[in-house]
């Protein structure tokens, strides 16, 4: 478990992202130390996995739709308006128009 915050250790989480192999996981497939290329594939894979996880999270659609409505339509969108926007975000269709792709 990794603790975040002050020394009281109130907040902790498991499986933190790490771009370097953990101690003892260094293998011979890495031939020499080259800071530009040595861990780049692992870093890209972990960042891509994190972005995919965040994009597909259940609260992403309501969060983005609420912010878009606040900035482009009204500062306090109605629950019905939010339902329609979130459904369109998740399904990729609004009144038969769209591609069917999430987001």
């Amino acid at each position: 478990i990794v603790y975040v915050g002050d020394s009281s250790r109130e907040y902790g989480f498991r499986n933190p992202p790490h771009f370097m192999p953990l101690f003892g996981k260094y293998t011979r497939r890495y031939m020499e130390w080259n800071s530009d290329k040595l861990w780049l594939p692992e870093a890209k894979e972990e960042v891509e996995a994190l972005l995919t996880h965040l994009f597909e999270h259940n609260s992403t659609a309501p969060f983005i739709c609420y912010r878009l409505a606040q900035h482009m339509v009204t500062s306090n969108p109605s629950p019905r308006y939010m339902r329609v926007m979130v459904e369109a975000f998740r399904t990729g269709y609004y009144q038969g128009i769209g591609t069917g792709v999430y987001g």
Side-chain angles (χ1 to χ4, degrees):
I1 295 180
V2 174
Y3 294 99
V4 179
D6 59 6
S7 60
S8 66
R9 296 184 175 193
E10 293 180 20
Y11 305 101
F13 58 95
R14 299 174 194 251
N15 304 326
H18 54 86
F19 301 131
M20 305 282 278
L22 299 174
F23 183 74
K25 295 201 175 196
Y26 181 81
T27 62
R28 286 208 168 264
R29 74 181 177 125
Y30 304 108
M31 300 311 253
E32 64 183 44
W33 173 259
N34 184 343
S35 62
D36 294 336
K37 298 177 184 171
L38 188 59
W39 311 113
L40 194 57
E42 286 81 2
K44 284 183 179 180
E45 289 171 9
E46 288 195 30
V47 169
E48 187 66 33
L50 176 63
L51 291 175
T52 300
H53 171 74
L54 292 175
F55 184 67
E56 294 174 356
H57 194 273
N58 288 337
S59 64
T60 299
F63 179 83
I64 290 176
C65 291
Y66 185 76
R67 296 302 184 270
L68 285 172
Q70 277 186 321
H71 290 283
M72 297 183 177
V73 181
T74 178
S75 61
N76 189 17
S78 69
R80 181 186 170 279
Y81 190 72
M82 285 300 301
R83 259 192 319 275
V84 171
M85 285 182 63
V86 169
E87 183 67 23
F89 188 95
R90 289 183 176 156
T91 63
Y93 288 109
Y94 174 69
Q95 295 182 348
I97 300 171
T99 60
V101 178
Y102 179 84

